[in-house]
Amino acid sequence: MPTVHTFQIVPALPNSLKHLHTLAYNLHWCWDLEALELFRRLDRDLWETSGHNPVKMLGTIDQERLKDAAGDDSFTALLESAYQNLETYMRSTNTWFHRTQAHAGSKKYTIAYFCMEFGITECMPIYSGGLGVLAGDHLKSSSDLGIPLVGIGLLYQQGYFRQSLNTDGWQQERYPSNDFYNMPIQPVLDAAGQTLKVSVELPGRQIQIQVWKVQVGRIPLFLLDTNLPANNEEDQNITDQLYGGNSEMRLKQEIVLGIGGQRALKAMQIQPQMCHMNEGHSAFQGLERARLLMKEHGCSFAVARELGAAGSLFTTHTPVPAGFDVFSPEMLAPYFTEYVKDLGISFGEFMELGRVNREDNSEHFNMAVLALRTSHHVNGVSKLHGAVTRRMVQAGYRDLPEQEVPVSHVTNGIHTRSFVSKEMADLLDRYLGGRWSQDVSDNGFWNRIDSIPDEEIWRIRQRRRERLVLFARTRLKEQYTKHGRGAAEQRQAREVLNSEALTIGFARRFATYKRATLLLSDPDRLLKLLNNENRPVQIIISGKSHPHDDGGKELIRQIFQFANRPEARNRIVFLEDYDLSIARYLVQGVDIWLNTPRRPLEASGTSGMKVLANGGLNVSVLDGWWDEAYTPETGWAIGRGEEYSDPNLQDRLEANALFEILEKEVVPLFYDRDTAGIPRAWLARIRNSMRTLCPVFNTHRMVSEYASRFYFPSLKRHDHLAEENMRYAAELVSWKQRVRQGWPLVKVLQVQTDPELGKALTVGEAVIIKARVQLGTLMPQDVQVQAYHGPIDTNHHVTQGNITLLHHLSEGTQDGVCLFEGRLPCISSGMQGFSLRVVPTHADAELPQELALITWE
């Protein structure tokens, strides 16, 4: 092959249009409606054909069009306004973080947010679905709120696959390459002006990783790329595909993300005090963070891990153990045998960090367990998912009641401004005030929703449904053309759907548990619903199945074939190649968002949140976010939150319940119009949904909750443990070692109560508890003696347990045996009980997350 010398050509922007370049390279444009309109006005057709990519658009636009725009006073005025808006946004210190950071003093902090995928905009196809879109929205809201955060991810050469369906409806995948130089990303340069590269060790070699930067408002997102000539072909492919390849490819990607991510931050002189792992894919970052601390401070791995974990948060989105990545010892050994020597631990000790049962040498290494062991905080992504996760991880906290397993929850949200239509945003600006989207979680704004006339809301709902129908027809015609269908079928595509009909949207990843074909279980009943002359219903469906998930592909095939039946063809449409562009049209235009997961397998789900501000309503199983969001005034629930051991029975019952809801409630309510043609009761439900749910289910609320509950306290604790060259971290490690060694001797020897139990007590009385506790080598200040008390169930177990502390009586200490006493108030009637237990306590420890020791009476 001849040598190829590469160079880049950039557009020759007239001086009056130079700010287009600045706007294009900051993804703030994707939620700034003025900037979006600017790029559309520049060349509407090119905006569409470029995939809504302003960088590619500026690189291919006709030079004459740029000259025309430069001479258009209205266009240059719009450009100047959009640029000034961005400049004001970037410089502003009037953000939520600046207003609430009194705890931080003058110190500058950095939070590193690691994720395998980021879904920010469709022209950056490095996401597959909900996890990535959630991560992208996390960055957007962090930017709006002024959170000092940086993102870390991978830059995929091919990203996630592009989808098409064959004539039978079977999903086909293709992987077009991303052209990084025509995307809104730029290489990070080192001090010498060269592209910044870091390296990680793989078996027998080092690989080079280039660092790229995407600016997301105020937030830099750094993306790692191994597709470099210095690497062999196998290693170049590491960042080729999102969720592609086999288990070993996933391992290499997670090494690059975690270890490479920390090294990239180090090379850019960014030292995060807080690391947030969005799923366990990046868990190796905790080991590399400890290694860097060891090198900087000359401390042990135990002390470095202690400090790192104090500033770490692990968010899991997985509702089943099978969703976590696991690796065998044989696969890990070539990658980590040498690496762990720098940590001062053996390979066996490394494996223990990823095992639920440290002593079980046959157990595989679990990335979620490693994330748990290197973080002092862990959370699920909805209230229900928090409970599911506590059940999943309880094996690591065997003696703790499930409700005390140290897993909390922060319910997911969406970046409202990114998904609300321009028409609805303008309407909300007029009636709620222009600051509603900046303070989207402020109930005060949403309480003004009743001031909007029904007619105006309904006019926008009709307009957006019309736009959705036109969009669906255009996409369907493109699909027919691409698949070589005849002219008659292409003409027919222009007639599908009805802009006046009740429109249901269903779009998501086609995993089997999401039950995309639940309505198809009774095809005759469905066709009757779709083809009602006076009250027609139509369904628009979209979504991808993982390339290796044949079960998901089969669901798509069944929908495709049903949609092609003559009696269904105009009422059901499947749109290929689901992405953020299709998602926006759907959530802005549908009347109903349908969600049918098999409870409790939907960790949160966020697609249904995206219809809220657009005036759409939800019909969903009580799973994920809808389990805590639903009220009869805001939408509809399929079932009552039941969980079944027989999935077939569950499917039959919930399919029937769904049909009942649609036939008897949803359809009649939508078509119940007054003399002006307005569905007043339907609009009342829209108002209730917007007023109640919009201020809660958004990422402004979510990110501020992460900051208040985890980021700020963890930053403070990290600083404390790092004081005096990590003195307090070292002392905490020593205390833990001492407590672990001495814990086998801890026993509750005797418990006495006054009055004696056995007779009925009245509300207002108290039970005095005295306990003799053997502490062995431990001191009274090392432990808490607790009465765990509450109502008794039929199995004689304490339920809804509360904790009352017993205090140490100094005069009762002798030969390692201590006397404790407490007062248990009788505050409610019924059969009550208590158990006595001993747990460790330390002012600097997060317990029981860090030390799951407990001794019961």
Side-chain angles (χ1 to χ4, degrees):
M1 291 289 291
T3 300
V4 177
H5 300 275
T6 62
F7 56 94
Q8 183 180 6
I9 300 175
V10 297
L13 290 175
N15 190 56
S16 60
L17 303 183
K18 64 182 180 181
H19 294 323
L20 282 172
H21 183 273
T22 303
L23 290 168
Y25 276 95
N26 189 323
L27 294 188
H28 182 259
W29 58 258
C30 72
W31 72 96
D32 179 350
L33 297 178
E34 187 175 47
L36 278 169
E37 180 58 25
L38 178 76
F39 289 118
R40 287 194 186 101
R41 277 188 58 180
L42 186 59
D43 190 321
R44 292 186 183 277
D45 291 338
L46 187 55
W47 176 251
E48 295 300 326
T49 58
S50 70
H52 302 167
N53 181 346
V55 173
K56 184 175 181 180
M57 179 179 174
L58 291 177
T60 56
I61 194 168
D62 188 276
Q63 197 67 40
E64 287 301 313
R65 178 67 194 106
L66 289 176
K67 290 180 181 179
D68 290 343
D72 183 338
D73 290 344
S74 67
F75 182 84
T76 55
L78 180 62
L79 171 57
E80 184 62 24
S81 175
Y83 176 73
Q84 290 303 325
N85 284 347
L86 177 61
E87 287 291 290
T88 301
Y89 177 89
M90 295 296 287
R91 289 197 304 263
S92 174
T93 56
N94 184 30
T95 65
W96 178 86
F97 178 76
H98 286 90
R99 296 193 300 268
T100 58
Q101 68 162 345
H103 68 282
S106 60
K107 182 168 181 178
K108 291 187 177 180
Y109 290 101
T110 301
I111 299 149
Y113 182 86
F114 289 79
C115 192
M116 198 76 157
E117 53 174 302
F118 287 89
I120 302 166
T121 178
E122 55 269 27
C123 74
M124 289 285 298
I126 57 171
Y127 63 94
S128 70
L131 178 70
V133 175
L134 184 280
D137 285 2
H138 194 112
L139 298 192
K140 293 174 184 177
S141 280
S142 295
S143 173
D144 289 343
L145 297 174
I147 304 291
L149 182 142
V150 301
I152 306 291
L154 300 182
L155 182 58
Y156 301 99
Q157 187 70 59
Q158 297 176 347
Y160 206 49
F161 69 92
R162 304 296 300 272
Q163 178 200 55
S164 61
L165 305 184
N166 67 15
T167 54
D168 189 48
W170 194 256
Q171 176 178 287
Q172 309 291 300
E173 299 94 22
R174 57 189 178 88
Y175 293 87
S177 290
N178 291 320
D179 180 0
F180 299 157
Y181 292 97
N182 273 316
M183 293 167 63
I185 61 175
Q186 293 178 309
V188 176
L189 304 180
D190 61 19
Q194 302 299 311
T195 54
L196 179 66
K197 298 182 180 69
V198 295
S199 62
V200 297
E201 298 78 23
L202 295 185
R205 64 198 187 277
Q206 279 195 338
I207 64 166
Q208 297 294 307
I209 303 168
Q210 182 173 340
V211 185
W212 299 75
K213 177 183 173 183
V214 180
Q215 194 66 37
V216 186
R218 299 181 177 103
I219 304 299
L221 167 61
F222 299 108
L223 299 173
L224 309 177
D225 168 26
T226 67
N227 190 12
L228 305 174
N231 297 327
N232 64 38
E233 184 176 354
E234 176 187 349
D235 295 334
Q236 289 177 18
N237 294 340
I238 292 174
T239 54
D240 258 10
Q241 296 177 6
L242 172 60
Y243 304 136
N246 56 19
S247 181
E248 189 163 11
M249 176 60 77
R250 179 69 66 87
L251 172 61
K252 288 187 283 190
Q253 288 184 334
E254 295 179 353
I255 289 171
V256 170
L257 176 61
I259 297 176
Q262 281 288 355
R263 292 182 183 178
L265 291 173
K266 176 74 172 175
M268 292 182 289
Q269 299 182 345
I270 298 172
Q271 186 169 357
Q273 294 78 26
M274 177 81 195
C275 292
H276 185 172
M277 292 174 281
N278 195 40
E279 262 307 347
H281 307 123
S282 61
F284 292 134
Q285 69 82 24
L287 301 180
E288 181 63 14
R289 188 180 184 190
R291 191 188 71 83
L292 294 172
L293 287 169
M294 291 170 66
K295 188 175 180 180
E296 180 181 353
H297 295 279
C299 62
S300 68
F301 172 69
V303 173
R305 181 164 73 99
E306 191 70 50
L307 181 61
S312 290
L313 169 65
F314 168 42
T315 296
T316 174
H317 298 251
T318 303
V320 291
F324 297 128
D325 288 338
V326 295
F327 303 109
S328 69
E330 295 76 20
M331 181 176 290
L332 289 173
Y335 291 88
F336 284 96
T337 299
E338 289 299 316
Y339 177 84
V340 298
K341 291 178 181 178
D342 280 349
L343 301 178
I345 62 175
S346 67
F347 181 75
E349 290 171 314
F350 161 75
M351 288 298 299
E352 289 177 8
L353 291 171
R355 286 172 170 157
V356 175
N357 183 354
R358 294 174 184 264
E359 289 76 35
D360 183 0
N361 291 332
S362 65
E363 185 180 333
H364 283 198
F365 188 97
N366 188 312
M367 292 296 286
V369 174
L370 176 63
L372 285 165
R373 296 258 167 80
T374 54
S375 304
H376 286 171
H377 295 287
V378 59
N379 72 280
V381 289
S382 68
K383 183 177 180 181
L384 178 60
H385 182 236
V388 170
T389 305
R390 283 190 287 277
R391 285 199 295 271
M392 285 192 345
V393 305
Q394 191 172 20
Y397 305 91
R398 291 190 187 92
D399 295 323
L400 273 182
E402 185 179 299
Q403 71 187 55
E404 294 187 63
V405 171
V407 176
S408 58
H409 79 276
V410 175
T411 301
N412 281 345
I414 58 105
H415 187 258
T416 305
R417 194 78 190 195
S418 292
F419 294 98
V420 69
S421 71
K422 185 180 187 305
E423 295 91 339
M424 186 63 80
D426 289 343
L427 183 69
L428 296 177
D429 284 345
R430 290 204 308 275
Y431 286 93
L432 272 59
R435 287 187 56 82
W436 72 268
S437 63
Q438 298 173 46
D439 298 314
V440 69
S441 55
D442 185 337
N443 286 282
F445 289 112
W446 295 102
N447 286 335
R448 301 173 191 169
I449 203 76
D450 290 331
S451 66
I452 307 178
D454 281 351
E455 289 77 5
E456 293 204 49
I457 297 176
W458 185 238
R459 190 179 304 121
I460 288 174
R461 292 295 313 131
Q462 289 181 301
R463 186 176 305 145
R464 289 310 311 186
R465 192 186 316 109
E466 289 170 0
R467 290 197 175 190
L468 171 59
V469 168
L470 289 172
F471 172 78
R473 288 171 176 171
T474 301
R475 288 296 292 252
L476 194 63
K477 182 177 181 296
E478 291 172 358
Q479 289 173 201
Y480 285 179
T481 302
K482 181 172 60 179
H483 297 321
R485 295 200 182 186
E489 286 185 286
Q490 293 180 38
R491 286 193 299 273
Q492 186 185 43
R494 296 198 294 266
E495 301 171 0
V496 301
L497 305 176
N498 175 357
S499 62
E500 300 290 331
L502 172 66
T503 304
I504 297 173
F506 183 99
R508 53 191 35 86
R509 180 169 57 91
F510 266 69
T512 51
Y513 79 86
K514 293 178 184 284
R515 299 188 298 180
T517 56
L518 199 62
L519 278 173
L520 269 60
S521 61
D522 192 337
D524 292 337
R525 196 173 180 182
L526 175 58
L527 288 170
K528 185 177 179 182
L529 194 67
L530 298 176
N531 293 311
N532 185 309
E533 282 190 22
N534 298 317
R535 295 178 167 182
V537 175
Q538 58 196 15
I539 306 174
I540 303 177
I541 303 172
S542 191
K544 299 176 179 180
S545 173
H546 188 281
H548 299 154
D549 182 5
D550 285 348
K553 292 181 181 182
E554 173 59 23
L555 297 181
I556 293 174
R557 189 185 69 84
Q558 291 176 22
I559 290 170
F560 176 87
Q561 294 189 347
F562 187 88
N564 276 289
R565 291 172 58 168
E567 61 271 40
R569 186 171 294 167
N570 289 337
R571 297 293 187 213
I572 297 184
V573 168
F574 186 94
L575 300 181
E576 296 177 5
D577 206 24
Y578 185 47
D579 66 0
L580 281 168
S581 178
I582 293 177
R584 278 195 300 274
Y585 273 99
L586 283 169
V587 300
Q588 292 170 7
V590 298
D591 301 294
I592 289 293
W593 193 261
L594 180 61
N595 188 34
T596 54
R598 187 175 286 121
R599 178 184 164 115
L601 298 180
E602 186 83 280
S604 173
T606 56
S607 58
M609 300 177 190
K610 298 178 178 72
V611 304
L612 299 176
N614 288 295
L617 296 172
N618 280 271
V619 174
S620 176
V621 170
L622 289 172
D623 198 7
W625 77 283
W626 193 239
D627 183 64
E628 61 196 86
Y630 165 74
T631 65
E633 298 79 25
T634 57
W636 291 269
I638 303 169
R640 299 174 183 171
E642 305 93 341
E643 295 178 21
Y644 298 80
S645 57
D646 182 351
N648 293 322
L649 174 63
Q650 182 176 4
D651 291 353
R652 287 197 303 273
L653 292 175
E654 291 181 348
N656 182 67
L658 173 56
F659 276 111
E660 291 280 316
I661 289 168
L662 294 176
E663 293 164 348
K664 297 180 179 178
E665 298 184 49
V666 174
V667 173
L669 193 69
F670 180 81
Y671 285 105
D672 181 15
R673 313 286 171 88
D674 64 8
T675 55
I678 307 293
R680 303 287 177 181
W682 182 270
L683 289 168
R685 198 169 291 227
I686 288 175
R687 292 179 192 278
N688 291 333
S689 171
M690 295 177 78
R691 183 193 311 109
T692 306
L693 304 181
C694 285
V696 178
F697 297 98
N698 62 79
T699 43
H700 278 38
R701 184 274 312 157
M702 181 193 83
V703 171
S704 64
E705 190 174 343
Y706 274 119
S708 299
R709 290 179 50 199
F710 298 111
Y711 295 170
F712 296 167
S714 294
L715 290 169
K716 183 177 179 181
R717 185 162 177 261
H718 176 277
D719 280 359
H720 169 65
L721 293 182
E723 288 175 1
E724 301 181 33
N725 197 30
M726 303 172 64
R727 168 192 158 194
Y728 295 106
E731 289 179 354
L732 184 55
V733 168
S734 297
W735 175 82
K736 288 182 182 180
Q737 292 171 343
R738 181 168 61 82
V739 170
R740 284 194 190 95
Q741 291 170 358
W743 201 258
L745 298 178
V746 174
K747 290 183 177 62
V748 178
L749 300 177
Q750 185 183 33
V751 177
Q752 294 178 315
T753 63
D754 181 25
E756 291 291 333
L757 301 183
K759 73 179 186 69
L761 303 173
T762 58
V763 173
E765 289 189 78
V767 178
I768 307 301
I769 304 172
K770 290 186 177 181
R772 292 176 63 244
V773 179
Q774 175 182 293
L775 295 181
T777 59
L778 302 185
M779 304 299 290
Q781 59 266 32
D782 293 327
V783 302
Q784 283 185 350
V785 178
Q786 303 173 341
Y788 181 78
H789 58 95
I792 296 295
D793 64 16
T794 55
N795 296 318
H796 208 67
H797 294 153
V798 173
T799 62
Q800 303 169 17
N802 296 298
I803 296 170
T804 295
L805 298 182
L806 279 64
H807 60 274
H808 174 235
L809 301 177
S810 57
E811 67 273 12
T813 301
Q814 187 176 5
D815 297 329
V817 176
C818 301
L819 185 62
F820 292 81
E821 183 178 275
R823 185 176 184 274
L824 195 64
C826 301
I827 57 176
S828 61
S829 58
M831 186 60 70
Q832 304 280 316
F834 78 88
S835 290
L836 217 65
R837 66 188 193 181
V838 186
V839 297
T841 185
H842 191 287
D844 290 339
E846 288 284 345
L847 299 168
Q849 174 67 24
E850 299 178 49
L851 198 62
L853 298 175
I854 186 167
T855 294
W856 292 87
E857 176 191 352

